[in-house]
Amino acid sequence: MAPSLSPAEIRDANTRYHDVAADHYDTKWGIDFGEVGGAQVLAKVAKALGGEPPYFERSLEIGAGTGYFSLNLLRAGVIGRATCTDISPGMLRMLQANAQRIGAEVQTVPADAEQLPFADASFDLVFGHAVLHHIPDLPRAFGEFERVLAPGGMVLFAGEPSRYGDRLASVPKRLAGTVAPLWRAAIGAGPARLDSEDADDVALERVVDVHAFAPGELAAAARGAGLQDVRITGEELLANWFGWTNRTLEATADPDEVPWAWRQYAYRGYLALQGLDRRLLEGRLPPAIFYNLMIAARKPA
Ligand SMILES: C[S@@+](CC[C@H](N)C(=O)[O-])C[C@H]1O[C@@H](n2cnc3c(N)ncnc32)[C@H](O)[C@@H]1O
């Protein structure tokens, strides 16, 4: 956590940063609500649970963003009634627009994960993707997840940065930074022009990411809230190194001058390496070294 900021300041920075990010979020992260996105989300959920997901009637998503998980899970029939929360109203507006576009029905509620405006035992599944690392007081948030879950309900979070995975990913990032001028020359792109808004964005980015986790820390937060059958899994190693290399290179170039063929190569390569990670590495290596951690747990029945 940034040492000089209070939890309230971190929450405020998250709201402002994600409100601004909302408009270009789906393009930046390649978020998809079709076949590709659906398969990605289902694979993550199955991995976190250790098998095919059952049906959950009432779901609550924390930090739902533009709807990557809830909308894809709705389409796949894994969840029945979707309630989507986020601290950023801007993200929830995009989520509603996405839902309308694909013909899905969701309820959106602006809410901080540490203070959920729902009655006890209201949901069968509480879940999220890439959100826990933004939350200042994780034990308090897990206490809320447990409170709003019905007995026997599940908690599931994916896409959380792992501490060692994050350190390992700094190697390709540094290498990419070094070779970036050569890469730009090779693809014929000029350097990025960083305006003051971009600089603000970069500064806020350092503030909004407050954790990278060791697997034991996530497990302890869940157990501390009274959850059981805690399962931690890791995913993405090669795909992540490839992804960070490309994202670091691309960030140095004028986005309008990065050729379409390069973007296709980066996107397809990432998907191919995700498959390789899944088949060859995940399940064989310890969760701690992967870039993303997942946690699944159950509220006692
Ligand atoms: C990295 S984005 C992920 C969005 C979405 N889950 C996805 O995977 O595309 C993190 C999301 O968490 C939200 N967030 C950050 N802090 C939060 C908090 N304390 N409570 C609820 N949501 C929060 C942000 O506004 C943002 O939409």
Side-chain angles (χ1 to χ4, degrees):
M1 183 182 305
S4 52
L5 292 185
S6 69
E9 287 169 324
I10 291 165
R11 285 190 280 271
D12 178 58
N14 261 291
T15 309
R16 286 188 292 128
Y17 174 79
H18 288 101
D19 273 351
V20 171
D23 279 350
H24 53 265
Y25 191 82
D26 289 352
T27 315
K28 176 174 176 185
W29 297 103
I31 295 208
D32 178 67
F33 300 104
E35 227 171 89
V36 171
Q40 280 173 339
V41 171
L42 277 182
K44 286 178 195 297
V45 170
K47 220 181 280 177
L49 294 175
E52 284 312 300
Y55 175 72
F56 298 96
E57 174 57 27
R58 301 162 300 170
S59 73
L60 172 68
E61 182 165 7
I62 309 294
T66 59
Y68 178 42
F69 259 47
S70 279
L71 295 181
N72 277 309
L73 289 177
L74 265 176
R75 288 192 88 161
V78 172
I79 56 179
R81 277 179 285 150
T83 304
C84 299
T85 63
D86 200 290
I87 204 165
S88 152
M91 283 291 206
L92 292 180
R93 274 194 293 278
M94 283 303 293
L95 194 159
Q96 274 298 0
N98 284 334
Q100 216 168 351
R101 191 164 43 79
I102 65 170
E105 210 175 294
V106 292
Q107 190 194 8
T108 49
V109 182
D112 171 14
E114 292 175 36
Q115 228 177 333
L116 296 173
F118 305 106
D120 297 0
S122 310
F123 299 100
D124 307 304
L125 172 69
V126 174
F127 70 103
H129 179 248
V131 58
L132 297 179
H133 64 285
H134 294 306
I135 299 174
D137 188 340
L138 207 61
R140 191 166 156 203
F142 267 91
E144 282 292 85
F145 307 156
E146 192 273 345
R147 180 182 68 74
V148 301
L149 262 185
M154 298 285 312
V155 159
L156 187 159
F157 285 89
E160 297 302 334
S162 90
R163 185 169 306 149
Y164 306 112
D166 202 36
R167 277 187 210 151
L168 287 173
S170 68
V171 177
K173 283 186 206 175
R174 267 204 308 274
L175 282 177
T178 311
V179 302
L182 287 176
W183 170 78
R184 286 198 307 272
I187 64 161
R193 288 179 298 271
L194 207 66
D195 60 27
S196 65
E197 228 174 72
D198 293 331
D200 286 354
D201 227 36
V202 170
L204 265 183
E205 205 164 37
R206 291 203 193 98
V207 171
V208 298
D209 292 341
V210 289
H211 311 278
F213 299 104
E217 286 169 344
L218 277 182
R223 290 199 183 100
L227 299 168
Q228 58 180 210
D229 302 337
V230 177
R231 184 172 193 279
I232 305 278
T233 331
E235 72 162 1
E236 293 195 6
L237 191 62
L238 304 177
N240 214 272
W241 291 350
F242 182 78
W244 273 119
T245 304
N246 295 336
R247 225 169 281 141
T248 309
L249 291 172
E250 286 165 16
T252 71
D254 182 339
D256 295 334
E257 293 177 11
V258 176
W260 177 84
W262 167 270
R263 293 205 189 273
Q264 283 300 305
Y265 150 80
Y267 182 60
R268 304 262 163 229
Y270 179 74
L271 294 183
L273 287 173
Q274 257 187 343
L276 205 63
D277 281 337
R278 194 163 51 239
R279 286 192 302 278
L280 294 184
L281 306 180
E282 293 165 11
R284 292 205 171 95
L285 300 175
I289 71 161
F290 289 89
Y291 187 76
N292 287 320
L293 292 177
M294 305 172 148
I295 179 168
R298 181 182 294 284
K299 178 167 173 165

